[in-house]
Amino acid sequence: MSNFHSRKLEGKPTWMRFIPYAALGVLIFSFNSSGEMNYFLRGYLVLLEAQIGIVLIYFIMSKLAKKHKS
């Protein structure tokens, strides 16, 4: 199996690939730390927000790679 998607990002430094995920983590932390919620509800929201955010970042990055390729 080819690592086609990882080859698209070979020219970019590794820290540039890390930036969207770090920004997502900061946003999730700031959103959840400001509220007075139940401990378990806060944990559930962190997991849910992280999963949704990672999927959105993946699709946005793939769309930008296609746009850049054209």
Side-chain angles (χ1 to χ4, degrees), residues 13-68:
T14 56
W15 64 269
M16 288 184 76
R17 289 184 267 171
F18 178 70
I19 289 174
Y21 299 103
L24 175 67
V26 168
L27 285 174
I28 289 173
F29 175 78
S30 64
F31 176 72
N32 288 326
S33 66
S34 64
E36 293 291 325
M37 293 181 276
N38 184 2
Y39 179 76
F40 293 110
L41 177 64
R42 193 180 320 173
Y44 178 75
L45 283 176
V46 166
L47 293 175
L48 189 65
E49 291 166 353
Q51 290 175 353
I52 292 170
I54 289 171
V55 169
L56 288 176
I57 287 173
Y58 174 77
F59 284 121
I60 290 170
M61 289 177 74
S62 67
K63 188 169 209 107
L64 290 174
K66 287 180 185 177
K67 187 183 232 183
H68 182 67

